[in-house]
């Protein structure tokens, strides 16, 4: 392909290189338009296979936009995404990021991965291939978004004895299910996953979700705040989802003023289309206010002071 200097291919490669590296509403619209260029598919494969890290990230923006187009059409976007992750030789990190983003979009648009994938088919795939791993990620991540901890556990329980090792993100999804069902063995698996991939935000978000969902796990709220200070979040502020989890952890610790500040920051940072997370944040804010009032009536001391908001890296 390196010897192919077709003008259309060169123009498409240059247009992809000019995209932002982050997937946003703006970059999605731009990337969606680029798919209409002559030789666009060849150009995407080129930047994924031949480009450096920066160019490769822009290639994944194109793949996400392709997935969004399939979602909009109601077609099976899971296979399209998996094919492109295979064509691009995706790492497990890239697979987790792309499938996680597109699966969330699909769920919000009523085109869940579960419309196209079932346990029997997904378990028949080899997760050591890019294609198989992508569909494992899409399926299990969607189960996580739907809070289906029992289904995630059932998936892993149904695997043949001696099945080969899986990537850290897949293990994080298993830990999510255990934590979400308040099973303490999830804590041990969480520690193992963090040792392997604590610098990957998709891994940390899955673990945070499990801790947030579980009940009465030892040190639960403090563990959530520790995760929010993990290296995955270094070099930047916490996003709305992480701030939402932080608010829940602070509420459990009865740090109500800090919790209110965190949830308000989450709301302020949401994009206009993130209505699901907005509703979650509004519910969390109501819980904080209700528990603060009950705590005050019971004679508890509602926190005050300049130390508010210092925990959790946010």
């Amino acid at each position: 392909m390196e010897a192919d200097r077709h003008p259309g291919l060169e123009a498409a490669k240059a247009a992809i290189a000019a995209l932002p590296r982050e997937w946003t509403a703006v970059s999605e619209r731009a990337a969606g338009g680029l798919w209409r260029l002559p030789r666009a598919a060849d150009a995407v494969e080129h930047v994924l296979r031949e480009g450096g890290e920066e160019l490769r990230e822009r290639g994944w923006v194109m793949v996400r936009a392709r997935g969004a187009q399939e979602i909009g059409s109601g077609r099976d976007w899971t296979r399209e995404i998996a094919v492109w992750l295979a064509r691009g030789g995706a790492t497990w990190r890239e697979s987790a990021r792309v499938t996680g983003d597109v699966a969330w979009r699909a769920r919000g648009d009523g085109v869940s991965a579960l419309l196209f994938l079932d346990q029997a088919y997904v378990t028949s795939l080899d997760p050591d291939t890019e294609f198989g791993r992508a569909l494992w990620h899409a399926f299990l991540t969607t189960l996580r978004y739907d809070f289906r901890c029992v289904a995630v556990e059932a998936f892993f329980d149904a695997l043949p004895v001696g099945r080969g090792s899986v990537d850290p993100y897949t293990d994080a999804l298993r830990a999510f299910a255990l934590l979400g069902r308040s099973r303490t063995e999830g804590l041990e698996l969480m520690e193992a996953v963090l040792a392997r991939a604590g610098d990957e935000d998709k891994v940390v978000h899955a673990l945070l979700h499990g801790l947030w969902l579980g009940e009465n796990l030892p040190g639960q709220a403090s563990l959530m705040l520790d995760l929010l200070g993990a290296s995955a979040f270094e070099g930047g502020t916490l996003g709305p989802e992480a701030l939402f989890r932080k608010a829940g952890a602070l509420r459990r610790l009865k740090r109500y003023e800090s919790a209110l500040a965190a949830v308000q920051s989450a709301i302020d940072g949401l994009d206009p289309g993130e209505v699901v997370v907005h509703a979650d944040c509004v519910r969390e804010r109501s819980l904080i206010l209700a528990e603060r009032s009950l705590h005050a009536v019971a004679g508890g001391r509602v926190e005050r002071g300049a130390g508010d908001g210092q925990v959790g890296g946010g």
Side-chain angles (χ1 to χ4, degrees):
M1 192 168 175
E2 184 61 36
D4 188 347
R5 296 295 181 184
H6 187 281
L9 175 62
E10 294 302 309
K13 285 159 52 178
I16 293 169
L19 285 171
R21 61 172 286 160
E22 301 296 332
W23 191 46
T24 64
V26 173
S27 64
E28 181 189 316
R29 285 194 294 271
L34 297 187
W35 277 104
R36 294 192 291 269
L37 293 175
R39 305 292 298 275
D42 290 338
V44 172
E45 186 167 4
H46 174 88
V47 301
L48 291 175
R49 287 290 188 178
E50 308 293 337
E53 180 181 352
E54 290 294 318
L55 194 54
R56 192 171 170 86
E57 287 299 319
R58 288 160 173 82
W60 295 127
V61 170
M62 290 289 291
V63 172
R64 289 177 174 91
R66 184 71 167 185
Q69 291 175 339
E70 295 296 285
I71 291 166
S73 73
R75 292 190 292 267
D76 182 359
W77 60 269
T78 63
R79 180 175 177 81
E80 183 75 4
I81 289 294
V83 165
W84 276 105
L85 287 165
R87 289 178 71 173
T91 65
W92 72 263
R93 293 176 187 270
E94 291 167 334
S95 179
R97 293 169 188 170
V98 173
T99 57
D101 291 344
V102 181
W104 178 256
R105 167 67 170 275
R107 181 177 180 269
D109 287 359
V111 195
S112 167
L114 304 183
L115 295 174
F116 310 107
L117 302 174
D118 60 28
Q119 177 175 313
Y121 172 61
V122 176
T123 55
S124 74
L125 301 170
D126 183 357
D128 289 330
T129 66
E130 292 95 347
F131 183 87
R133 182 173 58 209
L135 291 182
W136 275 48
H137 285 172
F139 180 69
L140 292 168
T141 298
T142 301
L143 291 176
R144 177 200 144 203
Y145 291 157
D146 286 353
F147 295 69
R148 299 190 187 188
C149 298
V150 173
V152 175
E153 279 201 76
F155 176 89
F156 286 103
D157 290 344
L159 294 177
V161 176
R163 186 73 177 255
S165 62
V166 295
D167 63 276
Y169 180 62
T170 301
D171 267 347
L173 293 168
R174 186 174 193 175
F176 152 77
L178 294 171
L179 294 168
R181 297 192 69 199
S182 307
R183 295 177 57 176
T184 54
E185 56 263 46
L187 296 172
E188 183 178 348
L189 180 55
M190 180 183 77
E191 291 300 319
V193 170
L194 288 171
R196 294 172 67 194
D199 60 341
E200 173 52 51
D201 66 342
K202 292 296 187 187
V203 165
V204 177
H205 276 298
L207 299 173
L208 274 171
H209 192 185
L211 284 172
W212 173 83
L213 187 59
E215 297 179 13
N216 301 318
L217 290 164
Q220 187 169 350
S222 295
L223 286 171
M224 290 177 68
L225 294 179
D226 289 343
L227 282 179
L228 288 162
S231 59
F233 299 117
E234 286 180 357
T237 57
L238 297 179
E241 184 181 346
L243 285 165
F244 165 68
R245 306 288 185 214
K246 179 180 179 180
L250 291 168
R251 172 174 54 80
R252 294 181 193 209
L253 293 171
K254 297 181 172 56
R255 299 187 58 193
Y256 300 118
E257 303 307 318
S258 295
L260 284 171
V263 79
Q264 188 59 55
S265 294
I267 291 170
D268 291 342
L270 287 169
D271 290 333
E274 295 183 279
V275 294
V276 175
V277 181
H278 184 275
D280 288 340
C281 288
V282 171
R283 282 191 292 271
E284 178 60 41
R285 187 176 186 277
S286 297
L287 283 172
I288 296 165
L289 291 171
E291 290 189 20
R292 184 181 69 172
S293 295
L294 289 171
H295 187 65
V297 168
R301 183 177 66 86
V302 178
E303 72 169 329
R304 295 284 189 270
D308 264 4
Q310 297 300 308
V311 177

